[in-house]
Amino acid sequence: MNDHFDTMPSDITAGSARRDPYMLGRSSGLRDGRSRQEGATGRGEGGPAPKFVTVTYGFWIFLLSDIIMFSAFFASYAVLVNATDSGPTGKQLFDLTRVAVQTGLLLTSTFTAGMASLAIERRSMPGAQAWLVVTGVLGALFLLLEGQEFITMIGENAGPTRSAFLSAFFGLVGCHGVHVGLGVLWLGTMMAQLWVKGFRADILRRLHCFGLFWHALDIIWVAIFSLVYLLGASQ
Amino acid sequence: MTDKTAPSDASTDTRDAAPGEETIARNEPAAGVPGYLLGYGLAILLTAGSFVAARTGLIYQPAVISALVVLALAQIGVHLVFFLHLTTGPDNTNNILALAFGVLIVALIVLGSVWIMDHLDQNMPPMKPQQLALLARCPAERLPGGVGDGPCGA
């Protein structure tokens, strides 16, 4: 039906293939045997997407739903932040030096995760393993500091049972910490799998999903250090 | 493995990009090591800006929250562009649409909760003095309404 139309370059795209890397405004060329490179992108006209795209897109949806779960923790924290029950407030409890170190550790680990992803792209086993180790060590140090903070607070009678504010605080920050801990375990698993199985298609997909997960954790930490720690300590 | 059941590469649409794919940004300033370094540098600057805004008197105190929210949103944008390689290209349309829906739900949950709970807080009648006195006298687990007689229950 559209065959006639397909063979005619439209006024908009005529002669502009080189300046149009995304094939905007071009309908599918598959039916009349032309290169699939001319199929319009993002419109599902070129057949099913490769497994790498569908798997990581599914993981992307999971990450967004995980962020929505975090938003419920953020909402309860925002509602309960003043419900201290005459107990300690954030201004008295938060140690911003430790938070600054934690932020630096997690931000650097997200950068090294990116370096690992580039090394995987180059198919460099030593580079990938080295950057993944650095990422994992930075994540573990972050967890160590967070554990130290929680133990200190509980020792000062400021545990999660002290007030609604502290319940919300431990829920939110602890949930992020659990994610980082699971991420470190996943990272160790992926390093072992990469070592044993090499740059196989399924291993590459899992490593890519891990990278997305790790970057998303740092995005959540940005919201936590800004809106929980810095805002709490400045009020 | 399960790859055998997947369509062969020859029949698949290669024009959609996976979220965070390194090849997305090949023609962009956000590509490769320089891209990650640029994102890392921008994120450090914005983080330092947040700490300065909160720790010094540089910003008028009631405006600190706005400064922190803006700096956090800017840093999240830096992460999305330089680390997660989101672009406005049509190969990224599906990724961006999913993200936009996520942002909508997050905004509804957070802003809606704060808005509604703030109104509820304002509309609650203040406690009467005898209620306050009762609260102060009775342990929380033995408030009236429990089993037995007396002001604190059994």
Side-chain angles (χ1 to χ4, degrees):
Chain A
M1 199 165 70
N2 284 333
D3 285 350
H4 169 68
F5 193 72
D6 283 348
T7 54
M8 300 287 289
S10 78
D11 289 345
I12 296 172
T13 59
S16 64
R18 290 206 183 137
R19 286 182 280 116
D20 183 20
Y22 295 118
M23 312 293 169
L24 275 176
R26 291 174 166 236
S27 60
S28 170
L30 284 173
R31 274 163 300 151
D32 52 6
R34 289 189 307 182
S35 159
R36 70 172 186 282
Q37 295 301 323
E38 292 190 33
T41 183
R43 293 171 177 78
E45 294 183 4
K51 192 161 185 181
F52 184 81
V53 173
T54 51
V55 166
T56 50
Y57 184 68
F59 195 76
W60 182 239
I61 301 286
F62 158 73
L63 283 179
L64 290 166
S65 63
D66 209 32
I67 286 174
I68 287 170
M69 183 203 68
F70 267 105
S71 79
F73 278 92
F74 273 105
S76 59
Y77 178 82
V79 166
L80 297 171
V81 66
N82 293 319
T84 55
D85 190 23
S86 317
T89 64
K91 195 180 176 70
Q92 294 157 352
L93 288 171
F94 297 154
D95 175 2
L96 287 191
T97 312
R98 186 197 282 116
V99 173
V101 175
Q102 279 182 294
T103 306
L105 287 173
L106 210 57
L107 183 58
T108 308
S109 86
T110 213
F111 171 73
T112 58
M115 293 295 101
S117 141
L118 289 177
I120 292 162
E121 183 91 347
R122 290 195 311 270
R123 301 289 187 269
S124 156
M125 182 65 83
Q129 293 282 3
W131 284 117
L132 288 175
V133 158
V134 175
T135 305
V137 168
L138 290 170
L141 286 175
F142 171 89
L143 275 181
L144 206 67
L145 285 178
E146 189 161 294
Q148 188 201 19
E149 175 188 38
F150 282 5
I151 289 169
T152 312
M153 283 174 72
I154 291 168
E156 290 168 351
N157 191 26
T161 54
R162 177 62 188 85
S163 63
F165 153 67
L166 282 165
S167 302
F169 169 83
F170 275 87
L172 172 59
V173 181
C175 187
H176 178 266
V178 166
H179 276 75
V180 175
L182 291 175
V184 171
L185 287 179
W186 186 9
L187 174 60
T189 313
M190 286 325 300
M191 286 174 60
Q193 290 196 341
L194 181 63
W195 185 256
V196 174
K197 302 178 178 178
F199 294 102
R200 245 167 48 180
D202 50 348
I203 305 299
L204 291 176
R205 286 198 298 269
R206 291 173 201 169
L207 280 166
H208 191 76
C209 288
F210 169 77
L212 292 177
F213 183 72
W214 202 254
H215 293 314
L217 285 189
D218 200 37
I219 286 179
I220 290 164
W221 181 254
V222 168
I224 290 182
F225 86 72
S226 303
L227 301 179
V228 174
Y229 287 104
L230 289 180
L231 192 60
S234 77
Q235 276 169 346
Chain B
M1 290 195 42
T2 51
D3 278 342
K4 284 172 187 163
T5 59
S8 71
D9 273 352
S11 67
T12 55
D13 182 358
T14 56
R15 308 302 303 170
D16 266 326
E21 212 175 320
E22 298 291 347
T23 50
I24 290 177
R26 200 155 272 169
N27 301 316
E28 314 266 346
V33 178
Y36 278 105
L37 280 173
L38 186 56
Y40 188 46
L42 285 173
I44 289 175
L45 278 181
L46 289 165
T47 303
S50 295
F51 274 83
V52 167
R55 297 299 284 160
T56 65
L58 195 64
I59 292 179
Y60 176 56
Q61 182 60 32
V64 164
I65 180 168
S66 313
L68 287 175
V69 168
V70 168
L71 285 165
L73 287 179
Q75 189 170 345
I76 288 171
V78 165
H79 282 245
L80 289 175
V81 169
F82 291 96
F83 298 151
L84 288 166
H85 302 311
L86 284 181
T87 72
T88 51
D91 55 351
N92 247 306
T93 309
N94 293 328
N95 307 336
I96 292 279
L97 278 179
L99 176 70
F101 182 67
V103 168
L104 169 72
I105 303 298
V106 167
L108 283 178
I109 291 176
V110 174
L111 299 180
S113 299
V114 170
W115 185 26
I116 290 172
M117 295 308 286
D118 187 50
H119 276 260
L120 274 182
D121 198 33
Q122 287 179 18
N123 290 338
M124 288 285 262
M127 267 195 200
K128 295 176 188 132
Q130 57 265 44
Q131 287 175 312
L132 279 174
L134 205 58
L135 266 183
R137 210 165 60 238
C138 303
E141 65 270 23
R142 293 181 63 223
L143 281 175
V147 194
D149 306 310
C152 290

